[in-house]
mmCIF file of all heavy atoms in Angstrom:
data_model
loop_
_atom_site.group_PDB
_atom_site.id
_atom_site.type_symbol
_atom_site.label_atom_id
_atom_site.label_comp_id
_atom_site.label_asym_id
_atom_site.label_seq_id
_atom_site.Cartn_x
_atom_site.Cartn_y
_atom_site.Cartn_z
ATOM 1 N N GLU A 84 6.113 17.523 -8.180
ATOM 2 C CA GLU A 84 6.926 16.649 -7.328
ATOM 3 C C GLU A 84 6.129 16.130 -6.145
ATOM 4 O O GLU A 84 6.222 14.936 -5.789
ATOM 5 C CB GLU A 84 8.219 17.308 -6.792
ATOM 6 C CG GLU A 84 9.126 17.800 -7.867
ATOM 7 C CD GLU A 84 8.766 19.123 -8.513
ATOM 8 O OE1 GLU A 84 8.120 19.964 -7.778
ATOM 9 O OE2 GLU A 84 9.102 19.392 -9.677
ATOM 10 N N GLN A 85 5.297 16.994 -5.589
ATOM 11 C CA GLN A 85 4.475 16.620 -4.439
ATOM 12 C C GLN A 85 3.410 15.642 -4.826
ATOM 13 O O GLN A 85 3.129 14.646 -4.141
ATOM 14 C CB GLN A 85 3.856 17.829 -3.776
ATOM 15 C CG GLN A 85 3.260 17.563 -2.459
ATOM 16 C CD GLN A 85 2.751 18.831 -1.795
ATOM 17 O OE1 GLN A 85 2.853 19.945 -2.370
ATOM 18 N NE2 GLN A 85 2.253 18.716 -0.638
ATOM 19 N N ILE A 86 2.870 15.802 -6.024
ATOM 20 C CA ILE A 86 1.857 14.896 -6.530
ATOM 21 C C ILE A 86 2.496 13.495 -6.784
ATOM 22 O O ILE A 86 1.941 12.478 -6.411
ATOM 23 C CB ILE A 86 1.198 15.421 -7.864
ATOM 24 C CG1 ILE A 86 0.351 16.671 -7.529
ATOM 25 C CG2 ILE A 86 0.357 14.348 -8.519
ATOM 26 C CD1 ILE A 86 -0.146 17.388 -8.777
ATOM 27 N N GLU A 87 3.666 13.482 -7.440
ATOM 28 C CA GLU A 87 4.287 12.201 -7.703
ATOM 29 C C GLU A 87 4.678 11.503 -6.433
ATOM 30 O O GLU A 87 4.562 10.288 -6.302
ATOM 31 C CB GLU A 87 5.545 12.439 -8.597
ATOM 32 C CG GLU A 87 5.212 12.855 -9.967
ATOM 33 C CD GLU A 87 6.385 13.195 -10.809
ATOM 34 O OE1 GLU A 87 7.570 13.192 -10.245
ATOM 35 O OE2 GLU A 87 6.259 13.429 -12.033
ATOM 36 N N LYS A 88 5.174 12.249 -5.402
ATOM 37 C CA LYS A 88 5.535 11.660 -4.162
ATOM 38 C C LYS A 88 4.328 11.024 -3.503
ATOM 39 O O LYS A 88 4.376 9.880 -3.023
ATOM 40 C CB LYS A 88 6.138 12.737 -3.217
ATOM 41 C CG LYS A 88 6.539 12.194 -1.879
ATOM 42 C CD LYS A 88 7.072 13.280 -1.010
ATOM 43 C CE LYS A 88 7.321 12.745 0.379
ATOM 44 N NZ LYS A 88 7.571 13.815 1.310
ATOM 45 N N GLY A 89 3.207 11.685 -3.470
ATOM 46 C CA GLY A 89 1.980 11.193 -2.883
ATOM 47 C C GLY A 89 1.513 9.939 -3.668
ATOM 48 O O GLY A 89 1.021 8.952 -3.032
ATOM 49 N N TYR A 90 1.613 10.001 -5.018
ATOM 50 C CA TYR A 90 1.204 8.855 -5.796
ATOM 51 C C TYR A 90 2.011 7.599 -5.462
ATOM 52 O O TYR A 90 1.447 6.487 -5.290
ATOM 53 C CB TYR A 90 1.344 9.182 -7.280
ATOM 54 C CG TYR A 90 1.126 8.000 -8.193
ATOM 55 C CD1 TYR A 90 -0.152 7.494 -8.462
ATOM 56 C CD2 TYR A 90 2.243 7.331 -8.766
ATOM 57 C CE1 TYR A 90 -0.360 6.435 -9.317
ATOM 58 C CE2 TYR A 90 2.001 6.222 -9.562
ATOM 59 C CZ TYR A 90 0.721 5.788 -9.863
ATOM 60 O OH TYR A 90 0.560 4.698 -10.630
ATOM 61 N N PHE A 91 3.351 7.744 -5.324
ATOM 62 C CA PHE A 91 4.157 6.592 -5.016
ATOM 63 C C PHE A 91 3.944 6.093 -3.603
ATOM 64 O O PHE A 91 4.018 4.852 -3.429
ATOM 65 C CB PHE A 91 5.626 6.938 -5.300
ATOM 66 C CG PHE A 91 5.979 7.026 -6.733
ATOM 67 C CD1 PHE A 91 6.477 8.229 -7.239
ATOM 68 C CD2 PHE A 91 5.793 6.010 -7.634
ATOM 69 C CE1 PHE A 91 6.779 8.373 -8.583
ATOM 70 C CE2 PHE A 91 6.066 6.138 -8.950
ATOM 71 C CZ PHE A 91 6.569 7.288 -9.451
ATOM 72 N N GLU A 92 3.648 6.970 -2.659
ATOM 73 C CA GLU A 92 3.315 6.505 -1.301
ATOM 74 C C GLU A 92 2.011 5.700 -1.316
ATOM 75 O O GLU A 92 1.913 4.677 -0.672
ATOM 76 C CB GLU A 92 3.160 7.697 -0.387
ATOM 77 C CG GLU A 92 4.488 8.370 -0.063
ATOM 78 C CD GLU A 92 4.312 9.616 0.832
ATOM 79 O OE1 GLU A 92 3.164 9.899 1.218
ATOM 80 O OE2 GLU A 92 5.334 10.261 1.032
ATOM 81 N N ILE A 93 0.999 6.195 -2.061
ATOM 82 C CA ILE A 93 -0.242 5.473 -2.139
ATOM 83 C C ILE A 93 -0.038 4.095 -2.836
ATOM 84 O O ILE A 93 -0.568 3.074 -2.429
ATOM 85 C CB ILE A 93 -1.334 6.289 -2.858
ATOM 86 C CG1 ILE A 93 -1.686 7.485 -2.002
ATOM 87 C CG2 ILE A 93 -2.564 5.473 -3.214
ATOM 88 C CD1 ILE A 93 -2.578 8.528 -2.711
ATOM 89 N N ARG A 94 0.713 4.063 -3.900
ATOM 90 C CA ARG A 94 1.024 2.802 -4.567
ATOM 91 C C ARG A 94 1.711 1.794 -3.644
ATOM 92 O O ARG A 94 1.387 0.619 -3.695
ATOM 93 C CB ARG A 94 1.978 3.061 -5.711
ATOM 94 C CG ARG A 94 1.513 3.053 -7.194
ATOM 95 C CD ARG A 94 0.289 2.362 -7.471
ATOM 96 N NE ARG A 94 0.606 0.993 -7.992
ATOM 97 C CZ ARG A 94 -0.233 -0.006 -8.028
ATOM 98 N NH1 ARG A 94 -1.470 0.221 -7.609
ATOM 99 N NH2 ARG A 94 0.105 -1.157 -8.480
ATOM 100 N N LYS A 95 2.621 2.302 -2.854
ATOM 101 C CA LYS A 95 3.335 1.441 -1.909
ATOM 102 C C LYS A 95 2.381 0.810 -0.888
ATOM 103 O O LYS A 95 2.444 -0.353 -0.610
ATOM 104 C CB LYS A 95 4.437 2.243 -1.180
ATOM 105 C CG LYS A 95 5.319 1.470 -0.222
ATOM 106 C CD LYS A 95 6.381 2.372 0.322
ATOM 107 C CE LYS A 95 6.943 1.872 1.579
ATOM 108 N NZ LYS A 95 7.850 2.773 2.200
ATOM 109 N N VAL A 96 1.483 1.629 -0.357
ATOM 110 C CA VAL A 96 0.479 1.100 0.633
ATOM 111 C C VAL A 96 -0.477 0.108 -0.098
ATOM 112 O O VAL A 96 -0.778 -0.950 0.486
ATOM 113 C CB VAL A 96 -0.275 2.261 1.222
ATOM 114 C CG1 VAL A 96 -1.479 1.790 2.064
ATOM 115 C CG2 VAL A 96 0.646 3.150 2.097
ATOM 116 N N GLN A 97 -0.873 0.415 -1.319
ATOM 117 C CA GLN A 97 -1.761 -0.502 -2.036
ATOM 118 C C GLN A 97 -1.062 -1.850 -2.277
ATOM 119 O O GLN A 97 -1.701 -2.874 -2.091
ATOM 120 C CB GLN A 97 -2.139 0.109 -3.388
ATOM 121 C CG GLN A 97 -3.187 1.244 -3.264
ATOM 122 C CD GLN A 97 -3.501 1.802 -4.643
ATOM 123 O OE1 GLN A 97 -2.766 1.696 -5.561
ATOM 124 N NE2 GLN A 97 -4.640 2.482 -4.686
ATOM 125 N N GLU A 98 0.207 -1.820 -2.629
ATOM 126 C CA GLU A 98 0.892 -3.055 -2.870
ATOM 127 C C GLU A 98 0.986 -3.878 -1.589
ATOM 128 O O GLU A 98 0.910 -5.095 -1.606
ATOM 129 C CB GLU A 98 2.289 -2.780 -3.440
ATOM 130 C CG GLU A 98 2.213 -2.321 -4.849
ATOM 131 C CD GLU A 98 3.605 -1.862 -5.423
ATOM 132 O OE1 GLU A 98 4.596 -1.969 -4.653
ATOM 133 O OE2 GLU A 98 3.676 -1.402 -6.541
ATOM 134 N N HIS A 99 1.216 -3.170 -0.449
ATOM 135 C CA HIS A 99 1.332 -3.869 0.833
ATOM 136 C C HIS A 99 0.005 -4.610 1.173
ATOM 137 O O HIS A 99 0.025 -5.749 1.574
ATOM 138 C CB HIS A 99 1.696 -2.870 1.927
ATOM 139 C CG HIS A 99 1.585 -3.469 3.306
ATOM 140 N ND1 HIS A 99 2.478 -4.353 3.757
ATOM 141 C CD2 HIS A 99 0.687 -3.311 4.299
ATOM 142 C CE1 HIS A 99 2.190 -4.713 4.993
ATOM 143 N NE2 HIS A 99 1.088 -4.085 5.334
ATOM 144 N N PHE A 100 -1.099 -3.921 0.964
ATOM 145 C CA PHE A 100 -2.378 -4.557 1.294
ATOM 146 C C PHE A 100 -2.922 -5.548 0.260
ATOM 147 O O PHE A 100 -3.768 -6.343 0.579
ATOM 148 C CB PHE A 100 -3.449 -3.416 1.513
ATOM 149 C CG PHE A 100 -3.348 -2.781 2.843
ATOM 150 C CD1 PHE A 100 -2.670 -1.586 3.040
ATOM 151 C CD2 PHE A 100 -3.910 -3.410 3.985
ATOM 152 C CE1 PHE A 100 -2.579 -0.989 4.267
ATOM 153 C CE2 PHE A 100 -3.785 -2.791 5.224
ATOM 154 C CZ PHE A 100 -3.167 -1.587 5.363
ATOM 155 N N GLN A 101 -2.344 -5.535 -0.962
ATOM 156 C CA GLN A 101 -2.826 -6.405 -2.014
ATOM 157 C C GLN A 101 -1.891 -7.650 -2.155
ATOM 158 O O GLN A 101 -2.141 -8.498 -3.011
ATOM 159 C CB GLN A 101 -2.950 -5.681 -3.308
ATOM 160 C CG GLN A 101 -4.066 -4.684 -3.330
ATOM 161 C CD GLN A 101 -4.089 -3.878 -4.601
ATOM 162 O OE1 GLN A 101 -3.222 -3.984 -5.472
ATOM 163 N NE2 GLN A 101 -5.121 -3.080 -4.729
ATOM 164 N N LYS A 102 -0.847 -7.776 -1.311
ATOM 165 C CA LYS A 102 0.016 -8.945 -1.368
ATOM 166 C C LYS A 102 -0.817 -10.216 -1.076
ATOM 167 O O LYS A 102 -1.676 -10.218 -0.230
ATOM 168 C CB LYS A 102 1.089 -8.844 -0.252
ATOM 169 C CG LYS A 102 2.358 -8.288 -0.727
ATOM 170 C CD LYS A 102 3.472 -8.493 0.310
ATOM 171 C CE LYS A 102 3.208 -7.701 1.559
ATOM 172 N NZ LYS A 102 4.313 -7.699 2.486
ATOM 173 N N LYS A 103 -0.449 -11.270 -1.827
ATOM 174 C CA LYS A 103 -1.113 -12.548 -1.630
ATOM 175 C C LYS A 103 -0.340 -13.333 -0.543
ATOM 176 O O LYS A 103 0.497 -14.129 -0.829
ATOM 177 C CB LYS A 103 -1.096 -13.346 -2.951
ATOM 178 C CG LYS A 103 -1.837 -12.628 -4.043
ATOM 179 C CD LYS A 103 -3.171 -13.239 -4.262
ATOM 180 C CE LYS A 103 -3.772 -12.599 -5.509
ATOM 181 N NZ LYS A 103 -5.160 -12.360 -5.373
ATOM 182 N N ASP A 104 -0.661 -13.080 0.738
ATOM 183 C CA ASP A 104 0.018 -13.744 1.782
ATOM 184 C C ASP A 104 -0.902 -14.589 2.694
ATOM 185 O O ASP A 104 -0.556 -15.097 3.703
ATOM 186 C CB ASP A 104 0.847 -12.791 2.644
ATOM 187 C CG ASP A 104 0.023 -11.704 3.255
ATOM 188 O OD1 ASP A 104 -1.181 -11.627 3.040
ATOM 189 O OD2 ASP A 104 0.587 -10.846 3.959
ATOM 190 N N GLY A 105 -2.172 -14.664 2.284
ATOM 191 C CA GLY A 105 -3.162 -15.463 2.976
ATOM 192 C C GLY A 105 -3.818 -14.755 4.135
ATOM 193 O O GLY A 105 -4.695 -15.301 4.782
ATOM 194 N N LYS A 106 -3.382 -13.574 4.476
ATOM 195 C CA LYS A 106 -3.977 -12.846 5.605
ATOM 196 C C LYS A 106 -5.194 -12.001 5.058
ATOM 197 O O LYS A 106 -5.113 -11.473 3.929
ATOM 198 C CB LYS A 106 -2.962 -11.819 6.218
ATOM 199 C CG LYS A 106 -1.884 -12.400 7.011
ATOM 200 C CD LYS A 106 -1.068 -11.280 7.635
ATOM 201 C CE LYS A 106 0.075 -11.780 8.405
ATOM 202 N NZ LYS A 106 0.910 -10.659 8.944
ATOM 203 N N PRO A 107 -6.209 -11.875 5.872
ATOM 204 C CA PRO A 107 -7.294 -10.952 5.462
ATOM 205 C C PRO A 107 -6.802 -9.506 5.555
ATOM 206 O O PRO A 107 -5.888 -9.221 6.312
ATOM 207 C CB PRO A 107 -8.392 -11.262 6.500
ATOM 208 C CG PRO A 107 -7.769 -11.974 7.587
ATOM 209 C CD PRO A 107 -6.520 -12.570 7.106
ATOM 210 N N VAL A 108 -7.431 -8.669 4.816
ATOM 211 C CA VAL A 108 -6.963 -7.257 4.718
ATOM 212 C C VAL A 108 -6.998 -6.547 6.042
ATOM 213 O O VAL A 108 -6.201 -5.647 6.295
ATOM 214 C CB VAL A 108 -7.748 -6.524 3.609
ATOM 215 C CG1 VAL A 108 -9.164 -6.250 4.015
ATOM 216 C CG2 VAL A 108 -7.073 -5.224 3.262
ATOM 217 N N PHE A 109 -7.936 -6.914 6.907
ATOM 218 C CA PHE A 109 -8.024 -6.231 8.203
ATOM 219 C C PHE A 109 -6.937 -6.609 9.167
ATOM 220 O O PHE A 109 -6.804 -6.005 10.234
ATOM 221 C CB PHE A 109 -9.389 -6.362 8.814
ATOM 222 C CG PHE A 109 -9.860 -7.765 8.952
ATOM 223 C CD1 PHE A 109 -9.500 -8.534 10.082
ATOM 224 C CD2 PHE A 109 -10.636 -8.372 8.018
ATOM 225 C CE1 PHE A 109 -9.940 -9.878 10.232
ATOM 226 C CE2 PHE A 109 -11.056 -9.672 8.123
ATOM 227 C CZ PHE A 109 -10.722 -10.418 9.256
ATOM 228 N N LEU A 110 -6.083 -7.560 8.808
ATOM 229 C CA LEU A 110 -4.948 -7.900 9.659
ATOM 230 C C LEU A 110 -3.598 -7.583 9.063
ATOM 231 O O LEU A 110 -2.594 -7.832 9.663
ATOM 232 C CB LEU A 110 -4.973 -9.431 9.944
ATOM 233 C CG LEU A 110 -6.113 -9.919 10.800
ATOM 234 C CD1 LEU A 110 -6.053 -11.443 10.892
ATOM 235 C CD2 LEU A 110 -6.088 -9.347 12.136
ATOM 236 N N LYS A 111 -3.606 -6.941 7.910
ATOM 237 C CA LYS A 111 -2.378 -6.640 7.238
ATOM 238 C C LYS A 111 -1.738 -5.327 7.694
ATOM 239 O O LYS A 111 -0.584 -5.018 7.323
ATOM 240 C CB LYS A 111 -2.574 -6.525 5.719
ATOM 241 C CG LYS A 111 -2.828 -7.895 5.071
ATOM 242 C CD LYS A 111 -2.901 -7.800 3.587
ATOM 243 C CE LYS A 111 -3.130 -9.124 2.950
ATOM 244 N NZ LYS A 111 -3.080 -9.098 1.504
ATOM 245 N N GLY A 112 -2.382 -4.512 8.495
ATOM 246 C CA GLY A 112 -1.883 -3.217 8.868
ATOM 247 C C GLY A 112 -0.640 -3.292 9.756
ATOM 248 O O GLY A 112 0.442 -2.991 9.378
ATOM 249 N N SER A 113 -0.864 -3.684 11.005
ATOM 250 C CA SER A 113 0.265 -3.780 11.932
ATOM 251 C C SER A 113 -0.091 -4.698 13.093
ATOM 252 O O SER A 113 -1.151 -5.373 13.087
ATOM 253 C CB SER A 113 0.586 -2.370 12.480
ATOM 254 O OG SER A 113 -0.507 -1.928 13.260
ATOM 255 N N ALA A 114 0.747 -4.778 14.092
ATOM 256 C CA ALA A 114 0.447 -5.603 15.264
ATOM 257 C C ALA A 114 -0.790 -5.068 16.036
ATOM 258 O O ALA A 114 -1.477 -5.877 16.652
ATOM 259 C CB ALA A 114 1.664 -5.596 16.161
#
């Protein structure tokens, strides 16, 4: 369960940074 939880958290972060929104990756984190 802990492995699956970690996997889904990593997947969520990867999807956030790989979105095609025109921003460079170094600006996608936060304010």
Side-chain angles (χ1 to χ4, degrees):
E84 298 83 27
Q85 191 174 3
I86 293 172
E87 290 175 356
K88 179 182 174 193
Y90 172 77
F91 288 120
E92 287 175 6
I93 291 172
R94 252 339 261 162
K95 184 177 159 185
V96 171
Q97 284 177 341
E98 288 173 2
H99 172 72
F100 280 97
Q101 292 176 354
K102 265 192 292 190
K103 301 256 186 220
D104 57 0
K106 288 184 182 178
V108 71
F109 52 86
L110 293 177
K111 288 186 180 185
S113 66

